[in-house]
Structures are given as C-alpha cells and as structure tokens.
Amino acid sequence: MTDASIDTVTITDKTSAPRIPLTVLGAGAMGTALVRAWLAAGHPVTVWNRTPARAEALAADGATVAASAADAVAASRLVIVCLLDDATVGEALDGADLTGRDLVNLTTGTPAQGRARAAWAEARGARFLDAGIMAVPPMIGDAGSGGFVFYSGSPGLFEEHRDTLAVPAGTRYVGEDPGFAALHDVALLSAMSGMFAGITHAFALIGPEDIAPKDFAPLLVSWLGAMTGSAHLAAEQLESGDYGKNVVSNLAMQVAGNATLLRTAEEQGVSAELLTPYTELMERWLAEGHGQEDPTGMVELLDLRRGEGA
C-alpha cells in the first residue's frame, strides 16, 4: 500500500476469524468501550490502567487485569494503547519490553507525535500503527453507528491484524507515513469545528425571535447537508490548480453577500466573532485579484510557508 491509498474495512461478523489475545492500556471511557467490544467478540483481553479501579471494573466482563503496564505488554503480542496524550503513552511504556510487539496507538495526537512515536517504538523492536478514532464511546462495537478508525504506519501490522482491529469500529488505512492517521483525524475534526461555529451563530441569530430552535434545526441540517457536497468541487480545483473551474458563486459575489450576514448579526444583537475570521480571509483573497474564482484558493493564504524563497 502507498501513502496515498485508503483502504476501508467495515465491522462484519468475525465468527471465522481467530480470537487472538490482546492487551489494552487505558480504561477510560474509550478504552473501556474498546475492551468490551473485543471481549464480546471472544478475544482474550489483558487490561491495565493507571487508576486500578477502572481496570478492575472490566474483570467482571472477563478481562485479565495486569498489575503494571509492563506486565500487560508482556501478556500479548498485540498491544493497544488508548491513553490521555502522547506524554502519557511514553510514561506508561517506559520500561516495558516492546521487542516483537505490535503496538497500535489509539491515543489522540498530532502528526509529528505519531511519526516520533513510530520511530521510538521501532527503535525498541516493535512494529507500530498510529490511529485516529472517528467515533465516541457509545459508537464502539455498533456496526451501524458509522464510527471508524484511521490507521497509518506499518502495512504488515495492519494486514495481519485488520480483522481484529475491525471488531470495535470500521478501519481505514491511510498510508505508511505514521503521521497520516492523526492528520486525517484532525483535518476532519477541524472541519467539524467550523461547522459547529456556524451552527452556534445560526442559533444565536434566531435566539431573540419567536422561532423554536427545534423547528429551525431540521432546516439547518438539511441546508448544511446539501452544502457539504461542495468539498468534491474544491478537491477538483485544488488538484488542478484551477480555482475558476465550474464556479457557481464566485468570490466577489460571496464577499458582497457577507455584508448582509454581518449587518444581520448587528441588527440581532449578535457578535459576529465566529464569522469575521473567514470573511476577512475572503476579503484578502479578493484583494489579490481572485474575484471571479471560487473561494477554494484561500487555502493558499493559510499556508504559512507561502512566499518563502521568493
């Protein structure tokens, strides 16, 4: 598989797959959900948590509780790590013998942390996968939830354990670069944050009026759903470098329309602080002469390396 490949596996009936033993480090809300999903599928699971009581609670479900992280790592070749942050991962694994282990890091981190942790693990004799979980704990183990996990790093590790990894949630392998899972994860979460900002502003606008939020919500969901398809056009424009391709509403028209958005916020007594960073970026791109193009080209303004070496 190449760095550009994306391979998808959905949760399926794994009755014919071997129930290999595995270790899970971390018994927070997500770690607990993962352990229970693997136990329900028949996998022997050893679990360790810095707060022992959380791990002990899983013993009733059939998990074996290890006294230390090092003991938990020694119990299984496949080791799943789901802790608070990258620093906690390093602390938990300090002193553990990783020789011959397959280490899968489901701890949320940055691309740089994923790459550094991969080098760290490989120097200690382990194969390594980094991961980004696109799900919340109630979605784990539910085949219809739509939850999935990005994986990147050792292709051999992924291929060998893909059925086991697919038990709690669907899998998407996004390349050998260990940083790609975190990058995909954070890119999607960043887009989600922007959407949430828009939803928050929209509800603030109707707040002073006799408009029931529960009646407005279906309109909001429908409209946002219809607009998300524009990501496909943006991708085509970015790959071709032609921001004028198939333009429906050009930048100049959208900038002009922004005045109405900002004026309405003022009239409603609502702060426009969730909108202005984006509208100001649009004005900057317009000032550079891109009025007849789609706003997609604003991606260039966000590149902090822009202009280097010029």
Side-chain angles (χ1 to χ4, degrees):
M1 296 181 184
T2 66
D3 283 352
S5 67
I6 296 181
D7 188 51
T8 303
V9 175
T10 55
I11 305 174
T12 58
D13 181 8
K14 303 295 178 183
T15 53
S16 62
R19 266 50 174 182
I20 68 166
L22 58 98
T23 285
V24 177
L25 303 183
M30 182 59 75
T32 294
L34 292 168
V35 169
R36 286 177 173 155
W38 275 307
L39 287 172
H43 291 267
V45 181
T46 298
V47 63
W48 170 85
N49 193 70
R50 187 164 49 182
T51 303
R54 291 185 176 179
E56 292 290 348
L58 290 166
D61 296 311
T64 299
V65 180
S68 69
D71 288 345
V73 170
S76 312
R77 180 182 165 202
L78 177 60
V79 178
I80 310 296
V81 185
C82 188
L83 297 170
L84 177 64
D85 53 27
D86 182 70
T88 308
V89 173
E91 293 169 4
L93 293 174
D94 183 32
D97 184 3
L98 297 180
T99 305
R101 294 297 181 265
D102 287 333
L103 187 62
V104 181
N105 185 25
L106 273 68
T107 304
T108 301
T110 70
Q113 288 173 333
R115 292 174 183 127
R117 188 57 64 190
W120 178 90
E122 290 162 6
R124 287 160 178 76
R127 294 193 298 182
F128 181 84
L129 280 177
D130 203 46
I133 304 176
M134 304 307 299
V136 293
M139 299 169 72
I140 298 299
D142 180 356
S145 72
F148 63 91
V149 181
F150 287 120
Y151 292 96
S152 62
S154 169
L157 191 167
F158 180 77
E159 285 298 333
E160 181 174 342
H161 297 297
R162 62 189 296 162
D163 284 349
T164 299
L165 295 174
V167 168
T171 66
R172 284 173 169 78
Y173 181 82
V174 290
E176 292 186 39
D177 185 324
F180 276 14
L183 183 58
H184 281 74
D185 178 29
V186 173
L188 292 188
L189 292 175
S190 297
M192 180 189 72
S193 294
M195 180 190 70
F196 285 164
I199 290 173
T200 299
H201 184 81
F203 277 123
L205 287 177
I206 69 166
E209 310 297 343
D210 186 19
I211 300 174
K214 67 179 181 180
D215 294 334
F216 184 73
L219 302 174
L220 193 55
V221 170
S222 177
W223 174 247
L224 292 178
M227 291 298 100
T228 56
S230 64
H232 296 296
L233 174 58
E236 292 179 10
Q237 292 171 338
L238 288 167
E239 291 193 3
S240 68
D242 181 3
Y243 305 133
K245 180 180 181 180
N246 299 326
V247 174
V248 175
S249 177
N250 66 38
L251 178 65
M253 182 181 300
Q254 292 193 41
V255 169
N258 285 344
T260 299
L261 304 185
L262 299 175
R263 189 177 306 116
T264 299
E266 182 179 2
E267 290 176 359
Q268 293 298 105
V270 170
S271 170
E273 61 192 292
L274 291 174
L275 296 184
T276 49
Y278 188 66
T279 59
E280 289 171 359
L281 199 71
M282 295 174 76
E283 291 170 1
R284 284 174 54 198
W285 195 235
L286 178 64
E288 292 194 18
H290 301 281
Q292 299 309 306
E293 300 173 352
D294 192 273
T296 303
M298 293 190 299
V299 166
E300 296 186 16
L301 291 179
L302 298 177
D303 187 347
L304 298 178
R305 300 161 297 181
R306 191 180 186 222
E308 289 184 0

